[in-house]
Amino acid sequence: MNPFETLQYMQEQYKTYVYTFQKIKNPHIRRWIFDRIDNGSLLWRAPHVQLNQRFTHGETLQEMVSSELLHPNVLKIFTRRDSAGKLTDKVINPYQHQSQSIESILAKNANTVITTGTSSGKSFCFGIPIVSECLKMKNAGIKGIKAVFVYPMNALANSQYEDFSERLNKSGLKIGLYTGDTPTGREEALKNFTASNRSLPYDSEVISRTDIQENPPDILMTNYVMLDLLLTRFNDRNLFPEEGTSPLKFLVLDEVHTYSGKKGADVAALIRRLKERTQTQGSLRCIATSATIEKTGDEDANQVIASFAQDLFGEPFDPTNVISETYLSIPLPEPDPLPDEIRLTDKHLEGFDNSPNKIRAIVEALTGNTIVPEESTPEKIGSILLKNRTIQFLIQKLSDQSVSITDLINEYQAVIRSNKTLGECRIEIFAALLTGTQGKIILNDEYQPIFVPKLHTFFSQGREISSCLSSPESPHLNDRGDALCDTCAQEQKQRATFPLVFCRSCGQEFYGATIKEDSTVIPRDMDVIDLDGQNLYFYTGLYDEGKIPIPDDWREKKRGSQELGKCKREYEPHVPEHK
């Protein structure tokens, strides 16, 4: 699939919808709006592109088991999934931030914050060390809830529960999901399984409230609202025994950056109640996951997030135990010269389907190399593309930031292809982004695509259009939200702008306004209804009821006939009048 073709199709469909839905009577306004729709400045912005970075690998699970940091059974639990999503017997190879998190939680016995991006495997950062410790505690005969995972939304909890429950199957550990959706009895819970993708629960699952209350699992997943109820309801009193008998050792808050303001204060109080109930002040190992935190100004990002976590949990957090991702850098060879002439055309990219012949033709045109069909393997394509200046430009430019396609093409022209047109540069950039996903090189000891680009696109419902009243036939339009007309300002005149709305039936433009008691006319946005004065919509010109009559159902019928008479009283305020 060519994502650029897909994006263009979406834009064309959206544009067609707007053209057919919105009527605009004034030709000047219609031309102004449609020109901005066509050039992509009103309904969408130029897409941004970035490269999905690969993470550096860290210490292996086997090495951590050998050093006795982890329980041996984690090697059976934390294995890879195949392309169909099924668990295999191949042990995962942790990323560096995952192995660092394990060391921080277990070797340092430290409260830890994990600030890594989406799809970085944050759940393994805390899941592996916690499961390992639960296995050790289980072997020591310790029963009860040893870890609580708290999620801000049930959807997140449900997703991670599915993964962990499958992994813990036949491990000897139990896991339970306790939210408002958890069935009360086991029979009801089993019926839910019949309606889902699975007919029976794994042996690791504690699936009903009654089962959780009678036989608390080793790991409990919940949300902060339900955790508050678990500490207060009589039926749940056995989950967290009082008087220091609770085996609770870990508390995990996922997406901790969402706990701010009143919600953050409520959760902070809840954590303190949990620690007091379980007598775990100072001993509870607190773990938080968060979105990536960027440094701003002179502030140290790790210090900021550590201070936030310390206030939230009421436990010490050291900035050295804030774990972030480490990215793998791609070593770039000396680049080959680009062909003097750009040989690529839009025809090369049309219907891009990942087929070997299509890829080979594009790579040959992009690099100037001749590739025989027998050598057009992903590995061979990768070795050729890695020496290409366009590919290297994209790696250097997009590895740590997203850039708009427009800016990317402009810079490429300025730096690489100064003697070529922007259109030619666009085709070369698009070709490199598409083929770079197909050529493979060795990264982290295995063949992987040179890069995996992500295309971010931004659509809007359109912005408010406003104008001053100086030129009704050719209004001074703007969509920047200016309170004063910029065109008039250039003539040293100060005029207010009024928001425009359009009749859905005929396309006539109207200005939103309020007439105050002193007859001053001020602009009024469509959604504002509480301004003092008379709120109305007006247009410049004379109203001719003969040409634009009021609707028939606004009129009363004359007594004894079907002939229409005067306007009904309830509609009188809406009949156009001259001001």
Side-chain angles (χ1 to χ4, degrees):
M1 181 188 75
N2 184 340
F4 302 108
E5 288 182 344
T6 303
L7 175 59
Q8 184 179 13
Y9 173 78
M10 292 169 61
Q11 290 173 342
E12 290 298 326
Q13 291 296 304
Y14 188 21
K15 187 163 61 174
T16 299
Y17 166 74
V18 172
Y19 283 170
T20 56
F21 175 80
Q22 182 65 64
K23 292 182 179 179
I24 301 172
K25 184 177 180 180
N26 185 310
H28 175 82
I29 299 176
R30 181 170 63 249
R31 187 164 53 251
W32 187 92
I33 291 176
F34 287 177
D35 283 347
R36 277 153 182 78
I37 290 176
D38 287 337
N39 66 29
S41 64
L42 188 61
L43 297 181
W44 57 75
R45 286 285 184 258
H48 279 58
V49 65
Q50 71 179 118
L51 301 184
N52 195 23
Q53 299 188 68
R54 269 65 68 94
F55 302 110
T56 303
H57 282 306
E59 190 176 359
T60 67
L61 294 186
Q62 292 90 334
E63 290 171 334
M64 287 184 270
V65 168
S66 297
S67 65
E68 299 185 352
L69 185 63
L70 293 177
H71 190 284
N73 284 359
V74 298
L75 301 178
K76 300 177 182 178
I77 296 171
F78 292 96
T79 58
R80 301 182 190 182
R81 292 186 182 274
D82 61 20
S83 57
K86 294 183 178 180
L87 290 174
T88 67
D89 57 359
K90 295 180 180 178
V91 181
I92 67 163
N93 191 1
Y95 298 129
Q96 185 166 317
H97 59 266
Q98 292 172 330
S99 57
Q100 287 175 338
S101 299
I102 295 169
E103 181 182 357
S104 176
I105 295 168
L106 296 184
K108 294 183 180 179
N109 199 29
N111 299 317
T112 303
V113 182
I114 301 144
T115 62
T116 59
T118 305
S119 301
S120 60
K122 285 194 285 281
S123 63
F124 282 2
C125 291
F126 60 82
I128 293 173
I130 288 176
V131 167
S132 175
E133 286 302 293
C134 286
L135 289 168
K136 293 178 181 179
M137 294 171 74
K138 186 93 174 170
N139 291 347
I142 300 174
K143 297 181 179 180
I145 297 174
K146 304 164 182 64
V148 176
F149 298 172
V150 181
Y151 298 89
M153 295 185 297
N154 284 353
L156 293 171
N158 295 340
S159 174
Q160 296 208 359
Y161 174 77
E162 284 296 320
D163 181 63
F164 274 97
S165 61
E166 182 179 4
R167 291 183 180 280
L168 294 178
N169 189 36
K170 296 181 170 50
S171 69
L173 294 181
K174 301 291 184 182
I175 187 169
L177 176 64
Y178 205 151
T179 68
D181 298 328
T182 303
T184 301
R186 185 171 179 79
E187 288 187 10
E188 181 186 354
L190 288 173
K191 288 180 181 178
N192 288 351
F193 272 95
T194 304
S196 68
N197 294 329
R198 291 190 280 129
S199 58
L200 291 172
Y202 300 116
D203 73 353
S204 59
E205 294 182 89
V206 186
I207 60 174
S208 71
R209 298 186 183 205
T210 302
D211 290 339
I212 291 174
Q213 292 159 357
E214 294 177 353
N215 296 291
D218 301 286
I219 298 172
L220 182 69
M221 293 183 170
T222 187
N223 56 62
Y224 73 95
V225 175
M226 182 58 72
L227 181 58
D228 182 44
L229 294 173
L230 299 184
L231 293 176
T232 56
R233 290 193 303 215
F234 180 78
N235 288 344
D236 297 311
R237 66 191 183 282
N238 291 332
L239 298 183
F240 302 106
E242 299 185 69
E243 301 177 359
T245 60
S246 172
L248 184 64
K249 187 172 183 178
F250 298 101
L251 174 63
V252 179
L253 259 62
D254 193 37
E255 306 289 348
V256 74
H257 55 277
T258 63
Y259 297 109
S260 60
K262 180 180 180 299
K263 179 180 175 182
D266 289 342
V267 172
L270 174 62
I271 292 171
R272 285 154 178 78
R273 286 171 49 215
L274 175 65
K275 292 191 294 182
E276 182 180 5
R277 171 73 169 269
T278 57
Q279 295 295 296
T280 52
Q281 299 95 329
S283 63
L284 184 65
R285 193 56 51 238
C286 299
I287 303 164
T289 75
S290 171
T292 302
I293 305 296
E294 301 291 343
K295 181 178 179 180
T296 57
D298 296 329
E299 288 185 318
D300 180 74
N302 287 358
Q303 181 62 60
V304 170
I305 190 64
S307 298
F308 174 78
Q310 186 163 306
D311 291 341
L312 185 64
F313 285 93
E315 298 289 340
F317 278 80
D318 193 285
T320 59
N321 295 315
V322 176
I323 310 297
S324 57
E325 62 266 88
T326 305
Y327 294 117
L328 185 69
S329 61
I330 300 177
L332 300 177
E334 187 69 24
D336 291 335
L338 289 171
D340 292 335
E341 298 300 322
I342 294 180
R343 306 173 185 178
L344 289 158
T345 65
D346 285 324
K347 204 73 176 173
H348 282 92
L349 308 186
E350 284 181 8
F352 183 79
D353 57 1
N354 302 347
S355 64
N357 289 339
K358 193 80 171 175
I359 295 167
R360 185 176 71 253
I362 296 174
V363 173
E364 286 182 338
L366 177 65
T367 64
N369 291 52
T370 300
I371 307 170
V372 297
E374 304 81 57
E375 294 184 354
S376 59
T377 63
E379 295 76 17
K380 179 65 176 178
I381 294 294
S383 67
I384 294 173
L385 286 177
L386 195 59
K387 297 178 183 179
N388 177 258
R389 285 193 70 192
T390 311
I391 292 287
Q392 292 192 7
F393 170 81
L394 293 175
I395 292 173
Q396 293 164 343
K397 187 66 182 175
L398 302 177
S399 288
D400 58 358
Q401 62 180 334
S402 67
V403 179
S404 81
I405 286 289
T406 303
D407 292 344
L408 187 68
I409 294 170
N410 286 335
E411 184 169 345
Y412 179 74
Q413 182 194 45
V415 175
I416 307 294
R417 290 288 204 178
S418 57
N419 61 337
K420 303 302 178 186
T421 67
L422 285 174
E424 290 175 313
C425 292
R426 175 188 63 82
I427 295 174
E428 211 158 48
I429 287 288
F430 284 10
L433 285 168
L434 292 172
T435 55
T437 65
Q438 305 303 310
K440 293 188 176 182
I441 58 176
I442 293 180
L443 295 171
N444 284 331
D445 301 323
E446 62 180 346
Y447 277 104
Q448 297 185 36
I450 295 175
F451 48 59
V452 180
K454 292 191 290 188
L455 193 66
H456 304 276
T457 186
F458 308 93
F459 288 89
S460 78
Q461 62 181 1
R463 295 182 297 281
E464 181 180 85
I465 299 170
S466 61
S467 171
C468 68
L469 305 178
S470 62
S471 180
E473 295 302 318
S474 301
H476 301 160
L477 303 167
N478 86 81
D479 61 350
R480 301 182 301 274
D482 295 341
L484 298 175
C485 177
D486 184 61
T487 304
C488 292
Q490 296 173 17
E491 301 173 0
Q492 307 303 314
K493 298 175 181 178
Q494 191 177 72
R495 292 193 175 103
T497 62
F498 291 77
L500 282 167
V501 295
F502 300 89
C503 174
R504 288 274 302 279
S505 177
C506 70
Q508 174 66 50
E509 73 276 8
F510 291 85
Y511 297 85
T514 294
I515 301 179
K516 305 188 77 173
E517 292 183 0
D518 61 359
S519 298
T520 303
V521 180
I522 61 173
R524 179 180 66 87
D525 289 332
M526 186 174 182
D527 297 331
V528 177
I529 59 176
D530 56 353
L531 289 178
D532 292 335
Q534 182 183 5
N535 297 327
L536 51 81
Y537 296 102
F538 70 88
Y539 73 95
T540 57
L542 296 175
Y543 170 63
D544 186 341
E545 186 177 349
K547 292 182 178 180
I548 311 176
I550 64 174
D552 289 348
D553 58 0
W554 284 24
R555 295 183 180 276
E556 295 178 346
K557 291 182 180 179
K558 292 183 178 180
R559 185 175 298 177
S561 75
Q562 296 297 314
E563 187 178 350
L564 297 175
K566 64 179 182 179
C567 181
K568 296 176 182 177
R569 182 174 298 176
E570 64 264 30
Y571 291 117
E572 286 180 355
H574 306 293
V575 175
E577 58 181 301
H578 295 296
K579 289 285 187 180

